[in-house]
Amino acid sequence: MSNETPKTMITYAGLKKYEDELHELKAVKRQEVAQKIKVAREQGDLSENADYDAAKEEQTEIEKRILELENILRNAEVVVDEEFDHGKINVGCEVKLYDLEFDEEVTYFIVGSSEANSLAGKISNESPVGAGLMGHHVGDIVDIKLPDGGVIQYKVLEIKKAE
């Protein structure tokens, strides 16, 4: 049995976003909060200093996010553009589907779990819908089994590399 953390699939755009955020937190935000703490300390009694408490809390949140981002990046497996198969659904693609039950077209971006954002149409390759779509081709009818026991049927209309 391996203690190795499983790799998380991530797009290059997602990787870049996380690297930029990590750099911003380490290079800018850490210094800003350190300055806030210094100013608050100079105000005297720390036991009743709301500015100090707020700055320390912000510092804790920044450090927690830095650890989270470092963990994501350490365990990330970037989807390589050259390996992208335009003929089948995989992480890093945009897929246009036809919902057979609701008679409507939907578009999803298949991303790694750390990048998922349903409001932006980004679904994880590990979600029920994302996992069910993986590997399918244009023209396929896909039955997606939902956790509640229901089934969604999609017809794959188009697959392209996400921008």
Side-chain angles (χ1 to χ4, degrees), residues 58-74:
E58 184 180 357
Q59 182 182 45
T60 300
E61 291 301 314
I62 287 170
E63 293 305 319
K64 194 162 93 176
R65 182 63 177 158
I66 287 171
L67 288 174
E68 187 178 312
L69 289 168
E70 287 175 340
N71 190 44
I72 288 170
L73 293 171
R74 183 175 29 262

Side-chain angles (χ1 to χ4, degrees), residues 2-3 7 12 35 43-44 46-47 55 60 65 70 78 90 92-93 101 107 110 115 127 132 142 147 152 154-155 158:
S2 173
N3 288 341
K7 294 291 184 186
Y12 179 75
Q35 184 60 32
Q43 294 172 2
L46 297 181
S47 65
T60 300
R65 182 63 177 158
E70 287 175 340
V78 180
N90 204 339
C93 73
E101 181 182 352
T107 300
I110 310 294
E115 297 175 85
S127 70
V142 184
I152 301 174
Y154 290 120
K155 180 174 183 177
E158 183 181 1

Side-chain angles (χ1 to χ4, degrees), residues 106-146:
V106 293
T107 300
Y108 292 123
F109 300 93
I110 310 294
V111 296
S113 59
S114 65
E115 297 175 85
N117 177 348
S118 60
L119 296 176
K122 294 180 177 184
I123 61 171
S124 165
N125 64 314
E126 297 172 14
S127 70
V129 174
L133 291 171
M134 296 294 285
H136 283 279
H137 301 85
V138 171
D140 287 358
I141 303 286
V142 184
D143 291 337
I144 309 284
K145 290 175 181 43
L146 301 176

Side-chain angles (χ1 to χ4, degrees), residues 9-50:
M9 299 296 288
I10 191 169
T11 61
Y12 179 75
L15 177 73
K16 181 82 175 100
K17 182 182 114 202
Y18 289 138
E19 286 175 339
D20 290 348
E21 181 183 355
L22 183 60
H23 177 74
E24 172 76 7
L25 288 172
K26 284 182 166 182
V28 179
K29 296 295 183 186
R30 267 184 176 164
Q31 282 67 31
E32 287 176 359
V33 79
Q35 184 60 32
K36 287 179 186 177
I37 290 170
K38 181 178 181 238
V39 169
R41 275 195 178 129
E42 291 170 356
Q43 294 172 2
D45 184 11
L46 297 181
S47 65
E48 296 179 17
N49 188 325

